Amino acid sequence: MGKTRKLIRQNRTAASPNHTANRLFCVKDIMRVYELSYQTVNHYTDFGLLPVFVKKGNVRFYDKLTVAKRMKAIRQLMGEGYSLRLICKKMMGPL
């Protein structure tokens, strides 16, 4: 069984709260939970704001905890009037 398949199966069957926090999200989950369009999730991924944890074929999986932290920061900074490019610079630090 491949590494990706094991990770997906472990995350789907995780019963304890510790494992639930590290669960994997696909794009559809992010769209539903954060009320974003598919294009917005792609845009955030292209900018590096939402890092892909693992990719299986055309399906990208994201770490749930990382997405939660990053979305909170993105929404807070957007609320303060920052553009997406400036948010990227703030979150990624100096290059």
Side-chain angles (χ1 to χ4, degrees), residues 1-78:
M1 184 179 300
K3 180 182 174 185
T4 304
R5 188 171 278 164
K6 278 184 181 179
L7 283 171
I8 294 167
R9 195 166 78 179
Q10 286 172 353
N11 284 304
R12 283 186 182 159
T13 60
S16 70
N18 291 337
H19 292 297
T20 305
N22 294 322
R23 205 172 179 154
L24 296 180
F25 262 173
C26 67
V27 175
K28 287 184 180 182
D29 296 329
I30 295 171
M31 289 170 52
R32 181 180 40 81
V33 171
Y34 295 100
E35 298 178 354
L36 298 172
S37 69
Y38 184 81
Q39 290 81 8
T40 301
V41 177
N42 280 339
H43 197 60
Y44 288 0
T45 301
D46 291 343
F47 266 80
L49 292 171
L50 295 177
V52 175
F53 182 76
V54 68
K55 186 174 178 180
K56 178 70 175 170
N58 282 339
V59 182
R60 295 168 297 183
F61 293 95
Y62 302 81
D63 180 66
K64 183 179 180 180
L65 188 58
T66 303
V67 170
K69 287 179 182 178
R70 297 241 175 159
M71 285 305 303
K72 181 179 178 182
I74 292 167
R75 288 188 168 166
Q76 180 182 357
L77 292 168
M78 285 182 110

Side-chain angles (χ1 to χ4, degrees), residues 65-95:
L65 188 58
T66 303
V67 170
K69 287 179 182 178
R70 297 241 175 159
M71 285 305 303
K72 181 179 178 182
I74 292 167
R75 288 188 168 166
Q76 180 182 357
L77 292 168
M78 285 182 110
E80 293 174 11
Y82 287 96
S83 70
L84 209 52
R85 291 195 189 275
L86 287 175
I87 292 171
C88 282
K89 286 183 180 181
K90 280 182 129 343
M91 290 179 71
M92 303 303 164
L95 297 176

